[in-house]
Amino acid sequence: MPDNLRDAFLWAVALAIGFPLVSVSLTEIALRLQRGGLPLAAPVRSVRDLILPPLAALVLLIKVVGWNLAATPVRLVETVFWLFVVNASLSFLNAILFVGAKQGTWQAKMPRLFVDMARGVIVLFCLAIVVSTVWGQDLGKLVAALGVGSLVIGLALQEPVGNFFSGIMLMMERPLGIGDWVKVGDNLGTVVESNWRSTHLRTRDNDLVVVPNSVLAKGIFTNYTGTSPLHNESVMLNFSCDDAPNKVKVVLLDVARRTTGVLTSPAPKVRLAAFADSSIQYEVKLPTNEFARLKDIAEEFRTLVWYAARREGLTMPYPIHTHLVVQQSTDAAEEPPLPPDALKAFPHLGLSAEAPGNVSGGPLRRYARGEQVVREGQRLNGLHMIVKGRVVLTTRDGRGNEVEVTRLERGEFFGEKSILASAPSDATVTALEDLELLVLESESVHALIEQTPFFSQQISGVMEARRKALQKTHIEGNGS
């Protein structure tokens, strides 16, 4: 017991009051920092949870119980206290310098492995000082003692040490960084962490793949986005030998340009890759800087190719071992040109009874959901009548923003301006769902207008209504 019981009592009272008070204060500070989104909340909690308890224990043992500093329990508590002080100090330093660092600063560019290495060296140095000061040990003798067992320790830690030095090599060479898309063996993912032992990849399926640094240092891996976000995705497609290669190339290039995520500069490329047994193989290069959406981009491109091939009369043959069987069913299922009475599907246009017998449309043209039928400023060949699906008409206002003009459904039409006024489209038409269109050529439309007065009135009314809607859109855009 201490010599002065009064002092011991006062220290006990101060400890009983001060410890809870300081703990509550640190808790409140940490909560305020957390609400503000500041990175110092975690270091403050570490002070409350790790430093405050051993400090209170030291005060209790020395000032209240009366033990001296040489007592083994006091030394143990003091050692733990100083180690926690070092850890909390490094946490504060990390929160101030590296957590939330802006992109492009030296803190953001600093590899995580280097930070971990520096932290480990500082902890070992401080531990040596604590052992020398608190326990009175000679550091020279301690180093000599560690040297005796270094060989055994080195053999036991051969693999971790190999990963450690491999991590240093990767840090110095920097072949990959956080956010890069990397393929190691069969694993493809984005780098989410790189530490002293391993590199962590997050795959497209949201699985975490841990790759030892030694595997990366000794093996071969592919970094798709390390030096540049630009990537050229190769898509292979087969078309019939009866389809003219130049026509196929034009169609594929047009589809590639209209695919979301495909860049226009550098432009997509198409080349004839090979002559197969029953088809011609084409390779399409899709340039993109959205590697994370690569599967979605390729899927959208293939989908649009199917619709474009049907519209342009191109054939995508089946594999050779099923070619003969499937070809028969394909020929049988192919849609013939629509008969003249197909126009009766639009009775509200006055065509059901008065349509001339020499007027007919061609095969239905199909568009995928989200595909543009025509862009603003392009010309439309023929009057496009909606048999199935819906479209939206958009235009750009005075500020260049794309705004909606109207929506059209089954039984309505567009492209009348190109037919009657020989003018390009003043709106972009986009399919809201899978779309089927009956396209009437200019000659057929003029014949219907001459022989069906009500049809002529309908077209004139639609043209005037859309002209007013477009004018209103442009005025509102200029005034906003």
Side-chain angles (χ1 to χ4, degrees):
M1 291 293 292
D3 297 335
N4 193 334
L5 292 178
R6 181 174 176 275
D7 290 344
F9 176 75
L10 292 177
W11 275 107
V13 173
L15 190 62
I17 298 175
F19 179 78
L21 184 62
V22 174
S23 179
V24 171
S25 300
L26 291 175
T27 301
E28 183 64 25
I29 293 173
L31 288 175
R32 289 180 178 272
L33 292 172
Q34 184 175 356
R35 293 192 193 102
L38 299 176
L40 292 176
V44 170
R45 281 195 293 267
S46 69
V47 171
R48 180 197 63 190
D49 300 335
L50 301 179
I51 295 180
L52 194 58
L55 178 61
L58 276 177
V59 173
L60 178 66
L61 293 177
I62 297 174
K63 297 298 184 179
V64 179
V65 178
W67 288 354
N68 58 42
L69 295 175
T72 300
V74 175
R75 288 182 173 181
L76 289 173
V77 174
E78 187 178 0
T79 301
V80 172
F81 169 74
W82 285 115
L83 288 179
F84 285 158
V85 168
V86 172
N87 179 73
S89 301
L90 293 176
S91 297
F92 271 103
L93 189 63
N94 180 69
I96 294 172
L97 292 180
F98 300 106
V99 178
K102 295 182 179 179
Q103 193 71 21
T105 61
W106 68 269
Q107 295 99 321
K109 295 180 180 178
M110 184 68 65
R112 173 69 181 275
L113 179 61
F114 182 80
V115 176
D116 292 343
M117 286 176 56
R119 188 185 187 103
V121 170
I122 293 174
V123 169
L124 289 176
F125 180 74
C126 294
L127 178 61
I129 295 177
V130 170
V131 171
S132 176
T133 304
V134 176
W135 295 90
Q137 297 294 320
D138 187 350
L139 292 181
K141 294 181 179 179
L142 183 60
V143 171
L146 291 175
V148 175
S150 61
L151 180 60
V152 177
I153 296 175
L155 291 175
L157 300 178
Q158 183 176 4
E159 184 174 352
V161 171
N163 287 326
F164 175 76
F165 283 103
S166 296
I168 295 177
M169 294 171 59
L170 292 173
M171 179 192 68
M172 296 175 63
E173 188 178 354
R174 292 189 178 181
L176 51 84
I178 302 299
D180 290 351
W181 280 90
V182 177
K183 185 175 183 180
V184 183
D186 295 331
N187 299 303
L188 172 65
T190 179
V191 179
V192 295
E193 182 181 348
S194 181
N195 53 44
W196 66 270
R197 192 192 74 84
S198 60
T199 297
H200 297 183
L201 305 180
R202 180 71 65 181
T203 68
R204 296 186 189 276
D205 297 328
N206 205 34
D207 297 326
L208 186 65
V209 178
V210 180
V211 183
N213 289 331
S214 58
V215 174
L216 294 174
K218 297 177 183 178
I220 298 175
F221 61 89
T222 304
N223 191 337
Y224 291 98
T225 57
T227 57
S228 170
L230 178 64
H231 172 76
N232 281 293
E233 178 68 2
S234 179
V235 178
M236 307 299 294
L237 296 169
N238 286 47
F239 286 87
S240 171
C241 295
D242 295 330
D243 296 330
N246 284 339
K247 180 180 180 180
V248 174
K249 291 180 181 179
V250 169
V251 172
L252 292 178
L253 279 176
D254 180 65
V255 173
R257 295 189 187 102
R258 292 188 287 109
T259 302
T260 306
V262 175
L263 301 176
T264 56
S265 180
K269 297 181 180 179
V270 180
R271 70 183 184 92
L272 194 155
F275 289 98
D277 292 335
S278 61
S279 62
I280 301 178
Q281 188 176 67
Y282 298 84
E283 182 183 21
V284 185
K285 291 287 188 179
L286 304 177
T288 180
N289 55 10
E290 302 178 40
F291 193 88
R293 291 189 58 250
L294 198 59
K295 282 191 173 183
D296 295 333
I297 293 173
E299 188 272 339
E300 179 181 345
F301 171 73
R302 292 188 179 96
T303 300
L304 296 181
V305 165
W306 186 91
Y307 286 90
R310 287 299 182 96
R311 292 195 300 270
E312 301 297 333
L314 302 178
T315 303
M316 302 179 70
Y318 289 84
I320 185 64
H321 62 277
T322 60
H323 176 70
L324 294 176
V325 177
V326 178
Q327 184 64 42
Q328 294 175 359
S329 61
T330 302
D331 292 341
E334 188 172 348
E335 293 178 329
L338 292 177
D341 62 356
L343 295 177
K344 295 180 180 180
F346 303 88
H348 57 288
L349 299 180
L351 303 177
S352 57
E354 303 179 42
N358 62 345
V359 176
S360 64
L364 293 180
R365 304 194 72 183
R366 295 175 175 173
Y367 290 83
R369 176 172 56 89
E371 189 175 3
Q372 288 183 351
V373 180
V374 63
R375 290 189 292 273
E376 186 175 354
Q378 283 186 328
R379 287 186 179 273
L380 267 177
N381 296 323
L383 185 68
H384 289 57
M385 309 179 73
I386 302 176
V387 177
K388 179 181 179 182
R390 297 180 301 131
V391 300
V392 59
L393 274 63
T394 58
T395 186
R396 294 197 176 276
D397 59 17
R399 294 175 174 264
N401 299 318
E402 191 169 11
V403 293
E404 180 176 329
V405 178
T406 187
R407 298 190 178 200
L408 305 179
E409 299 182 352
R410 181 181 183 276
E412 298 183 277
F413 57 85
F414 57 90
E416 69 285 343
K417 188 174 181 181
S418 297
I419 294 293
L420 301 182
S422 298
S425 176
D426 44 19
T428 297
V429 182
T430 306
L432 293 174
E433 54 194 56
D434 277 10
L435 190 65
E436 292 184 2
L437 298 175
L438 170 62
V439 182
L440 298 183
E441 299 297 334
S442 177
E443 295 78 6
S444 298
V445 175
H446 285 291
L448 287 171
I449 290 175
E450 292 177 1
Q451 302 180 38
T452 311
F454 184 75
F455 181 62
S456 177
Q457 296 173 7
Q458 288 287 91
I459 289 186
S460 299
V462 168
M463 285 185 66
E464 179 63 18
R466 289 180 187 165
R467 184 189 67 79
K468 291 181 179 179
L470 286 166
Q471 186 179 23
K472 179 181 178 182
T473 301
H474 289 149
I475 292 175
E476 292 177 349
N478 291 329
S480 60

